[in-house]
């Protein structure tokens, strides 16, 4: 159980760092929404967002929403770890939380990547394909894989809970 304590510590640390960075992102979004003079382009995913007006507002709004959805996923993971520390491993709440974490990670990735992918597609039309990296897919494969892992883990826990319940009924 010592490893579970370490996991809880790192999740709490990551949760706190995510909140601090999201507050910074929220501050930048408020500057953009209220038409503050932007001196330098925003750099996200190694591209400079040279957008202006409504396009920049839409992209940053989606990225901000995505970061808060990700923070919610980290919060759910904190709840799962607390349930594990209480030895509630095959509980219905753990199964639901693991499935919800997977869905939240997928939603967060989609909310972040769709506007950036659209920006890249529209910038190809303006600048030309030769000056851009066209091998970029847009979605974060590790995060999608992690989300699917949480969803599969939820199913595994559901099967294990059913087997445990059947085993307790047979005497």
């Amino acid at each position: 159980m010592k490893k579970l304590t370490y996991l809880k510590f790192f999740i709490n640390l990551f949760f706190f760092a995510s909140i601090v960075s999201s507050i910074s992102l929220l501050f930048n979004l408020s500057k953009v929404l209220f038409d503050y003079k932007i001196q330098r382009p925003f750099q996200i995913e190694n591209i400079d967002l040279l957008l202006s007006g409504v396009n920049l507002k839409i992209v940053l709004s989606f990225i901000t929403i995505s970061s808060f959805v990700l923070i919610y996923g980290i919060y759910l993971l904190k709840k799962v770890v607390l349930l594990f520390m209480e030895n509630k491993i095959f509980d219905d709440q753990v199964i639901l939380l693991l499935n919800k974490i997977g869905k939240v990670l997928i939603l967060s990735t989609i909310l972040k990547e769709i506007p950036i992918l659209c920006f890249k597609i529209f910038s190809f039309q303006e600048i030309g394909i030769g000056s851009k990296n066209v091998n970029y897919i847009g979605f974060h494969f590790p995060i999608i894989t992690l989300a699917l892992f949480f969803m599969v883990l939820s199913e595994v826990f559901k099967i294990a809970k059913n087997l445990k319940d059947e085993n307790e009924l047979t005497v």
Side-chain angles (χ1 to χ4, degrees):
M1 285 306 218
K2 195 171 188 177
K3 293 177 186 174
L4 203 53
T5 307
Y6 293 145
L7 179 64
K8 180 184 172 203
F9 171 75
F10 285 117
I11 289 173
N12 286 335
L13 185 68
F14 188 65
F15 183 71
F16 177 74
S18 298
I19 288 176
V20 170
S21 66
S22 291
I23 290 172
S24 170
L25 188 61
L26 193 62
F27 179 71
N28 285 336
L29 177 67
S30 66
K31 289 191 328 187
V32 169
L33 288 178
F34 296 115
D35 293 330
Y36 181 77
K37 300 280 185 193
I38 300 171
Q39 301 296 329
R40 59 185 168 87
F42 288 99
Q43 186 172 21
I44 298 170
E45 301 270 333
N46 294 327
I47 53 170
D48 293 329
L49 291 180
L50 298 173
L51 298 171
S52 61
V54 176
N55 294 336
L56 181 62
K57 291 177 185 180
I58 290 171
V59 169
L60 277 181
S61 297
F62 273 100
I63 291 171
T64 304
I65 292 168
S66 168
S67 70
F68 284 108
V69 169
L70 183 64
I71 288 175
Y72 178 65
I74 297 168
Y75 170 74
L76 294 175
L77 187 59
K78 279 178 56 171
K79 287 174 66 172
V80 168
V81 170
L82 288 176
L83 287 171
F84 283 169
M85 293 181 91
E86 295 172 1
N87 286 329
K88 295 181 180 177
I89 296 173
F90 297 113
D91 193 34
D92 287 330
Q93 190 176 7
V94 170
I95 294 168
L96 292 173
L97 287 174
L98 288 173
N99 193 18
K100 193 182 284 189
I101 290 170
K103 291 177 182 175
V104 163
L105 286 176
I106 289 174
L107 178 66
S108 173
T109 303
I110 288 172
L111 285 174
K112 180 181 177 195
E113 292 301 319
I114 293 294
I116 293 174
L117 189 62
C118 289
F119 167 73
K120 289 179 180 185
I121 289 170
F122 292 134
S123 66
F124 286 165
Q125 292 174 355
E126 294 172 8
I127 298 172
I129 294 179
S131 63
K132 293 284 183 177
N133 182 8
V134 288
N135 294 327
Y136 182 78
I137 295 173
F139 290 101
H140 291 286
F141 181 73
I143 294 176
I144 296 292
T145 304
L146 184 64
L148 293 174
F149 174 74
F150 275 111
M151 295 169 87
V152 167
L153 193 61
S154 168
E155 292 296 319
V156 168
F157 271 60
K158 186 187 295 183
I159 292 169
K161 181 186 180 305
N162 289 337
L163 290 174
K164 181 184 148 242
D165 289 343
E166 286 178 12
N167 191 23
E168 288 175 358
L169 291 176
T170 58
V171 178

